Amino acid sequence: MNSKSHTSVLAGLFCFAAALTASPAAAQTLKQVKDRGAVNCGVSEGLYGFSARDDKGAWSGFDVDLCRAIAAAVFNDASKVRYTPLDASSRFKALQSGSIDVLSRNTTWTMSREIELGLNFAATNYYDGQGFLVPKTLKKDTALDLDGTKVCVQSGTTTELNLNDHFRTNKMKFEAVGTVTSDEAVKGYDSGRCNVFTADVSQLFAIRLLLSKPDDHVILPDVISKEPLGPVVRQGDAQWHNVVKWVHFAMVNAEELGVTMANIDEAMKSAKPDVKRLVGNEGAYGEQLGLTKDWAARIVRHVGNYGEVFERNVGVGSKLGIPRGINQLWSVGGIQYAPPIR
Ligand SMILES: N[C@@H](CCC(=O)N[C@@H](CS)C(=O)NCC(=O)O)C(=O)O
């Protein structure tokens, strides 16, 4: 064997070994999703505005729309999603076991959830914080005025941990009424088993709507924690992680560029370089992701840009009526900021 062919045999072996290490069994999610013809998405059991089912069993909401956006990008069809409703305690096991491909369920990005549980948060699609809901008759104005209260809280959440920190730090006593499902927590609060309800503020807006007399309750102005909420994937599959991450970034970039459900067809003809890259008329960004060139245009066409999704599901014009606040784009004073497609 001459030295040239020796080198090429070695190179061949090296490539074979590299190919083996580059595609472990875990790094197959996108292929599995395509073969199955649907994205398996874990959502909450029912949180109006975020993930809720109507009488016909159809899912909608802000978290549901992230699942739909992934399906739109992969299949050009936002309905190709299988939903698994999960409570707070079972959500991570469902992801670890592979029974879902992505968890899109008002889940807070924390260090231990990535490092200890072997998961990756793909993005923060809702910057939230923990707050308190109280009956107006309790006459409490701040979160520092809750000494001696009974607090309903869902187990297996960051909420439970922050609650303990807050009361301990401020030398207040409380009785925690822990529940497994939000339904139990809502019933507990509505029936007076507890006189304070704590959750991420976005969830308090949703829960207040379920009470027998929503107008008799107020969300206190204080926020006691940072709750960056976003979609989660398993570690070890960079391609799928990138797909979920860039689906979110595409929606934020589309809003920033003024590309909407209504004008997506005009945007496909735009001469602006950054719009051309977004909709797939310049570069091969979609193909490099394992998708098609028009992946981002599909998302906007079927689901909308980030602002459209926010306003439709939870914004001031919706039943929830949540102001956009820090979830505004960075260019108008918020902190939603997506790296550019280029
Ligand atoms: N963001 C927090 C809290 C998430 C959470 O599960 N909150 C409850 C508040 S009620 C909820 O959304 N429950 C809905 C459900 O269990 O379906 C976390 O990730 O731990």
Side-chain angles (χ1 to χ4, degrees):
M1 197 186 277
N2 64 30
S3 74
K4 203 169 162 200
S5 59
H6 191 87
T7 317
S8 66
V9 168
L10 275 180
L13 281 174
F14 178 78
C15 289
F16 180 65
L20 282 181
T21 49
S23 52
Q28 293 291 328
T29 312
L30 180 59
K31 185 177 182 305
Q32 285 167 3
V33 166
K34 286 181 180 171
D35 291 349
R36 188 194 302 134
V39 183
N40 286 343
C41 204
V43 293
S44 68
E45 295 190 294
L47 201 57
Y48 189 81
F50 288 88
S51 62
R53 252 171 302 190
D54 66 16
D55 320 338
K56 292 179 194 118
W59 287 91
S60 67
F62 181 87
D63 288 339
V64 164
D65 275 348
L66 198 271
C67 310
R68 297 178 65 246
I70 298 169
V74 177
F75 300 111
N76 201 19
D77 182 345
S79 71
K80 299 210 161 165
V81 184
R82 287 187 202 148
Y83 296 96
T84 304
L86 296 162
D87 65 35
S89 309
S90 56
R91 60 186 147 167
F92 301 118
K93 269 185 228 120
L95 190 55
Q96 286 165 327
S97 72
S99 69
I100 55 171
D101 305 309
V102 57
L103 178 70
S104 180
R105 184 205 173 280
N106 55 317
T107 294
T108 304
W109 187 336
T110 69
M111 187 165 176
S112 60
R113 286 174 177 177
E114 288 207 319
I115 315 302
E116 208 178 304
L117 302 185
L119 305 175
N120 276 136
F121 283 75
T124 299
N125 64 347
Y126 193 110
Y127 290 95
D128 210 342
Q130 185 173 333
F132 295 94
L133 178 71
V134 295
K136 286 180 180 162
T137 51
L138 199 65
K139 299 210 178 330
K140 301 285 184 194
D141 299 323
T142 86
L144 293 172
D145 190 18
L146 299 177
D147 195 17
T149 52
K150 276 190 181 175
V151 188
C152 271
V153 61
Q154 201 166 334
S155 307
T157 57
T158 49
T159 322
E160 200 178 20
L161 308 173
N162 299 326
L163 177 68
N164 287 316
D165 288 355
H166 175 72
F167 277 77
R168 199 177 324 122
T169 313
N170 294 296
K171 301 191 170 46
M172 298 186 295
K173 289 210 172 68
F174 73 106
E175 189 186 319
V177 180
T179 57
V180 175
T181 64
S182 68
D183 200 38
E184 276 170 40
V186 174
K187 285 196 182 116
Y189 177 75
D190 219 10
S191 66
R193 266 183 72 209
C194 51
N195 50 9
V196 174
F197 192 112
T198 189
D200 299 342
V201 172
S202 65
Q203 290 138 53
L204 294 179
F205 274 89
I207 277 150
R208 186 165 52 177
L209 290 178
L210 301 175
L211 301 174
S212 42
K213 290 184 182 158
D215 293 341
D216 290 358
H217 302 265
V218 61
I219 297 170
L220 298 180
D222 320 70
V223 162
I224 64 160
S225 68
K226 288 187 289 190
E227 305 295 324
L229 310 178
V232 200
V233 294
R234 280 178 295 282
Q235 276 178 23
D237 188 343
Q239 182 190 42
W240 182 245
H241 184 177
N242 283 335
V243 166
V244 176
K245 173 168 51 175
W246 283 94
V247 163
H248 168 68
F249 286 153
M251 292 164 88
V252 175
N253 277 319
E255 179 180 14
E256 195 178 329
L257 294 170
V259 179
T260 65
M261 283 179 108
N263 69 18
I264 181 66
D265 289 326
E266 283 156 55
M268 299 296 286
K269 295 178 220 139
S270 172
K272 287 187 189 155
D274 38 15
V275 175
K276 285 175 86 174
R277 285 191 294 272
L278 175 80
V279 301
N281 287 334
E282 193 179 297
Y285 303 97
E287 293 94 321
Q288 287 159 5
L289 208 47
L291 305 174
T292 54
K293 64 183 357 314
D294 64 339
W295 66 287
R298 291 172 167 194
I299 299 171
V300 180
R301 177 170 289 115
H302 298 298
V303 184
N305 69 33
Y306 178 80
E308 290 179 294
V309 167
F310 189 101
E311 294 307 332
R312 176 170 72 228
N313 293 302
V314 302
V316 283
S318 74
K319 261 199 201 168
L320 256 63
I322 306 179
R324 188 82 185 260
I326 56 171
N327 287 297
Q328 269 292 3
L329 294 183
W330 67 286
S331 46
V332 283
I335 58 174
Q336 278 296 349
Y337 185 109
I341 296 174
R342 81 167 314 140

